[in-house]
Amino acid sequence: MDYAFDIARHDRAAHLRKDDAWRKGDQEIRVMVIGGEHVATHGGKGIRWIALDEAPDGQWLFLGIKDDVRYAAVMVDRVPNELEPVSLRTLGPSIAGDEASLAVHAVGIARWHQTHAHCAKCGEVTEAAEAGHVRICPACGTHHFPRTDPAVIMLITDGDDRALLGRQPIWPEGRFSTLAGFVEPGETLDDAVRREVMEEVGIKVGTVTYAGSQPWPFPSSLMLGFFGEALSTDITVDQNEIAEARWFTREEVTEMTAASELLLPPNVSISRWLLQTWHGGTIHGKWA
Ligand SMILES: [Zn+2]
């Protein structure tokens, strides 16, 4: 895997969401118990799958089909301690791709249910439908769908193929990453990349190329990764968002990470993958 949650591996089988169709038939059904971003596990290592009739009371969510098995989640306020709950942030990098695919789907929707119990139009308490994939207001009839907040994350390079990295004010000395920010309404993704880089470090960006995306449901982000070509090199840092920013050559990244003078994001992140893809060689270590 290139980074966590990189590929959807289950068939979401949306046609089975209506009228609890997913519960009918004789296919095996495996259930995940989930509370917010916490998932029931076996010893904190893999997801604990239970049978339909063993599941605690809660809101049902049908996830889909993988290898002729149907997968669902039951959402509870809090996963009981005896089911060994672990946050998907911790669990994600260590579980297999199939389980990560199911878990990231479940956590994204569970987080949305937790914070969208009321109708945004009239304030009434809404009811889940479509096997957990929509909430309907019984008073005004509005359908509310799970939200995803797009964020751009970009590796900017200059004419000498140096990479532009920044350090956030809350990070320790030496920790750097690619720049990132949320997409605003009415804005294309390319323009969001150019605006964020201009705001944060005062660099003008020309060509922007899409590289890949990573769902990050903590609570509802979709990280959209890009490479961008800088048209200028003089950095002016916006001190509110970035404490420090600079250009790095490949040799500097190789030597400084080996010497632990430069700490880059962990392998789980699309940020690290963008950096690795640009660098092409060995990058040492990661931040803790
Ligand atoms: Zn309403």
Side-chain angles (χ1 to χ4, degrees), residues 25-168:
D26 49 17
Q27 265 189 336
E28 183 190 354
I29 299 176
R30 293 180 191 162
V31 178
M32 174 191 316
V33 183
I34 183 168
E37 67 182 54
H38 288 80
V39 180
T41 71
H42 277 297
K45 293 191 169 61
I47 292 174
R48 180 192 292 258
W49 297 103
I50 60 174
L52 201 59
D53 57 7
E54 293 171 349
D57 289 337
Q59 173 62 53
W60 283 99
L61 169 63
F62 173 56
L63 297 171
I65 302 173
K66 174 73 186 168
D67 298 332
D68 288 330
V69 175
R70 294 183 182 182
Y71 288 91
V74 63
M75 294 176 268
V76 296
D77 289 340
R78 195 172 162 279
V79 179
N81 284 340
E82 60 266 29
L83 298 184
E84 303 174 282
V86 175
S87 165
L88 183 61
R89 292 178 204 240
T90 310
L91 193 64
S94 61
I95 54 179
D98 290 357
E99 290 202 327
S101 173
L102 291 157
V104 74
H105 178 185
V107 166
I109 294 203
R111 296 295 304 264
W112 170 71
H113 280 285
Q114 275 188 327
T115 51
H116 291 76
H118 293 264
C119 178
K121 202 168 171 186
C122 77
E124 184 61 75
V125 174
T126 54
E127 294 163 359
E130 299 269 343
H133 288 78
V134 63
R135 294 189 72 90
I136 300 172
C137 177
C140 75
T142 303
H143 287 50
H144 298 279
F145 296 93
R147 64 178 287 169
T148 294
D149 301 323
V152 287
I153 184 159
M154 46 279 180
L155 183 71
I156 305 300
T157 51
D158 71 358
D160 296 327
D161 206 19
R162 296 180 300 172
L164 176 62
L165 303 178
R167 180 170 72 81
Q168 292 184 17

